[in-house]
Amino acid sequence: INVLTILPGFVITKMTRKLPIPTFVADTPESISNLIYKNKLRSNEIYPMKWKIIMIIITCIPEFIFKRMKI
């Protein structure tokens, strides 16, 4: 059994078009589908590059500082 986990982040669709989503972290359905198609055989988890960078930054923040942040 192969399991593929896709974590696209914010995707701009008809339903989310009017939400206040920051444009620098949002992707279109076409870009997410291209990402899935290109990487489906390479790994078990697929993230857009934007989210990989954001998660690396978040994991570098010490826990005692992260708990005090208001996100």
Side-chain angles (χ1 to χ4, degrees):
I1 297 175
N2 292 329
V3 177
L4 177 64
T5 304
I6 302 167
L7 304 164
F10 294 113
V11 180
I12 299 172
T13 62
K14 290 180 183 178
M15 187 174 78
T16 61
R17 187 170 288 140
K18 294 183 181 182
L19 295 176
I21 298 172
T23 56
F24 66 92
V25 294
D27 283 316
T28 61
E30 292 81 16
S31 66
I32 297 297
S33 64
N34 289 334
L35 178 73
I36 293 167
Y37 181 74
K38 289 178 185 176
N39 295 314
K40 68 179 178 176
L41 299 176
R42 292 185 186 169
S43 66
N44 292 333
E45 289 186 350
I46 297 176
Y47 293 95
M49 184 55 73
K50 299 173 196 176
W51 285 102
K52 285 183 184 180
I53 295 169
I54 290 170
M55 292 310 295
I56 289 170
I57 293 170
I58 288 174
T59 56
C60 291
I61 299 172
E63 184 179 356
F64 69 95
I65 293 175
F66 185 78
K67 286 184 177 179
R68 293 182 183 182
M69 293 173 66
K70 294 181 181 178
I71 296 177

